[in-house]
Amino acid sequence: LQTNPRDRVLPMVAARFHESRGSEAAAIESYDLALANAPGNRIWHRQRGMCHYRNGNFKQAAADLNVALTRSPVQPQMAEFQAWVESYLQTGQYSAAERALNLMAADDVHTPEIEMLRGLCRLRQGHSSEAAEIIVSALVEWPQHAGLRRVAGMIESQNETGQPD
């Protein structure tokens, strides 16, 4: 890499190596080099976004995953979509999180985790009655899901404190 920094393959190999060893920060640096040589590569944005997500850099994760997963030619994994949405939620970008969730819904993806995130998005945007509808409907299908029950508790708590809808 020091000899040939513009090589298109070496930074990716280094990034994958660092990622496999759990060195997220080093992997991010290598992905930075790879993307400097090929800024439009959605797959590399997706990989770097997941490294940022695992490292707790939610703003950077959301930005990379937005590039990678919007109109992506590759069907993304569910974990990456969830990381994208959670990154938006962690940074307070609730409407962006909802747009990402809508992309998943367009692919007919229906899981308790997605419903939990949809409910949380609506709740964070101040729409507790819509959040309650989503969560109650999901609890019918997945009554023991801990995340759904936790969001139901958040909605109930917000309603008890008299927060407006």
Side-chain angles (χ1 to χ4, degrees):
L1 281 171
Q2 290 174 353
T3 304
N4 193 358
R6 303 210 44 87
D7 186 283
R8 289 185 172 259
V9 176
L10 288 175
M12 236 359 249
V13 172
R16 294 299 217 167
F17 171 77
H18 291 304
E19 205 172 349
S20 73
R21 311 235 335 146
S23 301
E24 303 293 339
I28 290 168
E29 289 178 19
S30 294
Y31 283 122
D32 289 346
L33 287 173
L35 285 163
N37 295 328
N41 190 309
R42 293 175 188 269
I43 293 171
W44 297 354
H45 274 284
R46 182 169 52 172
Q47 293 302 120
R48 184 174 71 177
M50 290 305 292
C51 287
H52 278 306
Y53 175 76
R54 288 188 294 269
N55 228 19
N57 305 328
F58 300 116
K59 186 173 183 175
Q60 296 92 333
D64 271 336
L65 293 171
N66 183 57
V67 169
L69 301 178
T70 304
R71 296 180 311 277
S72 179
V74 178
Q75 179 64 29
Q77 295 177 354
M78 183 55 60
E80 293 160 334
F81 257 125
Q82 288 177 331
W84 185 25
V85 171
E86 289 178 28
S87 295
Y88 279 138
L89 290 173
Q90 290 288 337
T91 57
Q93 299 177 67
Y94 306 120
S95 61
E98 194 165 25
R99 283 192 305 276
L101 286 165
N102 290 339
L103 285 175
M104 288 190 284
D107 285 339
D108 291 328
V109 177
H110 184 71
T111 68
E113 290 78 17
I114 290 173
E115 296 307 296
M116 177 188 71
L117 292 171
R118 286 183 60 232
L120 191 56
C121 281
R122 297 312 295 157
L123 180 64
R124 294 290 190 238
Q125 292 180 76
H127 304 287
S128 61
S129 61
E130 291 174 20
E133 288 176 25
I134 292 167
I135 298 302
V136 167
S137 176
L139 280 169
V140 169
E141 196 166 346
W142 300 286
Q144 300 304 318
H145 191 272
L148 290 170
R149 295 167 67 95
R150 187 171 43 256
V151 174
M154 293 167 68
I155 294 167
E156 185 176 317
S157 178
Q158 182 169 323
N159 287 339
E160 286 175 1
T161 60
Q163 297 290 329
D165 189 6

PDB file of all heavy atoms in Angstrom, residues 116 135 144-152:
ATOM      1  N   MET A 116     -40.638  -3.371  15.308  1.00  0.00           N
ATOM      2  CA  MET A 116     -40.192  -2.668  16.507  1.00  0.00           C
ATOM      3  C   MET A 116     -39.569  -1.326  16.111  1.00  0.00           C
ATOM      4  O   MET A 116     -39.883  -0.287  16.703  1.00  0.00           O
ATOM      5  CB  MET A 116     -39.164  -3.521  17.257  1.00  0.00           C
ATOM      6  CG  MET A 116     -38.578  -2.853  18.485  1.00  0.00           C
ATOM      7  SD  MET A 116     -37.208  -3.805  19.180  1.00  0.00           S
ATOM      8  CE  MET A 116     -35.958  -3.539  17.942  1.00  0.00           C
ATOM      9  N   ILE A 135     -47.121  -1.504  16.991  1.00  0.00           N
ATOM     10  CA  ILE A 135     -46.619  -2.434  18.001  1.00  0.00           C
ATOM     11  C   ILE A 135     -47.696  -3.431  18.426  1.00  0.00           C
ATOM     12  O   ILE A 135     -47.420  -4.636  18.554  1.00  0.00           O
ATOM     13  CB  ILE A 135     -46.055  -1.663  19.224  1.00  0.00           C
ATOM     14  CG1 ILE A 135     -44.866  -0.799  18.795  1.00  0.00           C
ATOM     15  CG2 ILE A 135     -45.670  -2.613  20.343  1.00  0.00           C
ATOM     16  CD1 ILE A 135     -43.711  -1.547  18.145  1.00  0.00           C
ATOM     17  N   GLN A 144     -44.191 -12.761  22.339  1.00  0.00           N
ATOM     18  CA  GLN A 144     -43.110 -12.879  23.321  1.00  0.00           C
ATOM     19  C   GLN A 144     -41.847 -12.104  22.944  1.00  0.00           C
ATOM     20  O   GLN A 144     -40.841 -12.194  23.641  1.00  0.00           O
ATOM     21  CB  GLN A 144     -42.744 -14.369  23.509  1.00  0.00           C
ATOM     22  CG  GLN A 144     -43.892 -15.220  24.007  1.00  0.00           C
ATOM     23  CD  GLN A 144     -44.488 -14.696  25.304  1.00  0.00           C
ATOM     24  OE1 GLN A 144     -43.765 -14.289  26.212  1.00  0.00           O
ATOM     25  NE2 GLN A 144     -45.815 -14.684  25.391  1.00  0.00           N
ATOM     26  N   HIS A 145     -41.886 -11.348  21.864  1.00  0.00           N
ATOM     27  CA  HIS A 145     -40.695 -10.636  21.408  1.00  0.00           C
ATOM     28  C   HIS A 145     -40.350  -9.515  22.399  1.00  0.00           C
ATOM     29  O   HIS A 145     -41.130  -8.583  22.616  1.00  0.00           O
ATOM     30  CB  HIS A 145     -40.911 -10.071  20.001  1.00  0.00           C
ATOM     31  CG  HIS A 145     -39.659  -9.564  19.385  1.00  0.00           C
ATOM     32  ND1 HIS A 145     -39.219  -8.271  19.564  1.00  0.00           N
ATOM     33  CD2 HIS A 145     -38.738 -10.180  18.609  1.00  0.00           C
ATOM     34  CE1 HIS A 145     -38.082  -8.110  18.908  1.00  0.00           C
ATOM     35  NE2 HIS A 145     -37.771  -9.261  18.317  1.00  0.00           N
ATOM     36  N   ALA A 146     -39.161  -9.613  22.992  1.00  0.00           N
ATOM     37  CA  ALA A 146     -38.747  -8.670  24.038  1.00  0.00           C
ATOM     38  C   ALA A 146     -38.665  -7.230  23.527  1.00  0.00           C
ATOM     39  O   ALA A 146     -39.065  -6.299  24.244  1.00  0.00           O
ATOM     40  CB  ALA A 146     -37.401  -9.101  24.618  1.00  0.00           C
ATOM     41  N   GLY A 147     -38.165  -7.023  22.325  1.00  0.00           N
ATOM     42  CA  GLY A 147     -38.045  -5.671  21.790  1.00  0.00           C
ATOM     43  C   GLY A 147     -39.395  -5.013  21.569  1.00  0.00           C
ATOM     44  O   GLY A 147     -39.582  -3.836  21.877  1.00  0.00           O
ATOM     45  N   LEU A 148     -40.340  -5.779  21.036  1.00  0.00           N
ATOM     46  CA  LEU A 148     -41.693  -5.243  20.840  1.00  0.00           C
ATOM     47  C   LEU A 148     -42.325  -4.886  22.176  1.00  0.00           C
ATOM     48  O   LEU A 148     -42.963  -3.830  22.313  1.00  0.00           O
ATOM     49  CB  LEU A 148     -42.564  -6.257  20.097  1.00  0.00           C
ATOM     50  CG  LEU A 148     -42.230  -6.484  18.623  1.00  0.00           C
ATOM     51  CD1 LEU A 148     -43.006  -7.678  18.082  1.00  0.00           C
ATOM     52  CD2 LEU A 148     -42.522  -5.234  17.806  1.00  0.00           C
ATOM     53  N   ARG A 149     -42.116  -5.737  23.151  1.00  0.00           N
ATOM     54  CA  ARG A 149     -42.690  -5.475  24.480  1.00  0.00           C
ATOM     55  C   ARG A 149     -42.047  -4.240  25.118  1.00  0.00           C
ATOM     56  O   ARG A 149     -42.712  -3.455  25.791  1.00  0.00           O
ATOM     57  CB  ARG A 149     -42.542  -6.711  25.352  1.00  0.00           C
ATOM     58  CG  ARG A 149     -43.376  -7.888  24.815  1.00  0.00           C
ATOM     59  CD  ARG A 149     -43.003  -9.198  25.484  1.00  0.00           C
ATOM     60  NE  ARG A 149     -43.360  -9.217  26.874  1.00  0.00           N
ATOM     61  CZ  ARG A 149     -44.487  -9.730  27.368  1.00  0.00           C
ATOM     62  NH1 ARG A 149     -45.352 -10.283  26.543  1.00  0.00           N
ATOM     63  NH2 ARG A 149     -44.740  -9.716  28.651  1.00  0.00           N
ATOM     64  N   ARG A 150     -40.745  -4.073  24.880  1.00  0.00           N
ATOM     65  CA  ARG A 150     -40.045  -2.905  25.431  1.00  0.00           C
ATOM     66  C   ARG A 150     -40.594  -1.611  24.810  1.00  0.00           C
ATOM     67  O   ARG A 150     -40.843  -0.629  25.508  1.00  0.00           O
ATOM     68  CB  ARG A 150     -38.539  -3.047  25.182  1.00  0.00           C
ATOM     69  CG  ARG A 150     -37.697  -1.996  25.840  1.00  0.00           C
ATOM     70  CD  ARG A 150     -36.188  -2.268  25.762  1.00  0.00           C
ATOM     71  NE  ARG A 150     -35.714  -2.743  24.475  1.00  0.00           N
ATOM     72  CZ  ARG A 150     -35.372  -4.010  24.205  1.00  0.00           C
ATOM     73  NH1 ARG A 150     -35.463  -4.936  25.135  1.00  0.00           N
ATOM     74  NH2 ARG A 150     -34.937  -4.353  23.002  1.00  0.00           N
ATOM     75  N   VAL A 151     -40.799  -1.613  23.486  1.00  0.00           N
ATOM     76  CA  VAL A 151     -41.341  -0.413  22.827  1.00  0.00           C
ATOM     77  C   VAL A 151     -42.780  -0.173  23.283  1.00  0.00           C
ATOM     78  O   VAL A 151     -43.178   0.975  23.497  1.00  0.00           O
ATOM     79  CB  VAL A 151     -41.233  -0.517  21.288  1.00  0.00           C
ATOM     80  CG1 VAL A 151     -41.932   0.657  20.609  1.00  0.00           C
ATOM     81  CG2 VAL A 151     -39.770  -0.572  20.858  1.00  0.00           C
ATOM     82  N   ALA A 152     -43.541  -1.243  23.481  1.00  0.00           N
ATOM     83  CA  ALA A 152     -44.910  -1.090  24.010  1.00  0.00           C
ATOM     84  C   ALA A 152     -44.870  -0.403  25.370  1.00  0.00           C
ATOM     85  O   ALA A 152     -45.688   0.484  25.656  1.00  0.00           O
ATOM     86  CB  ALA A 152     -45.596  -2.447  24.094  1.00  0.00           C
TER      87      ALA A 152
END
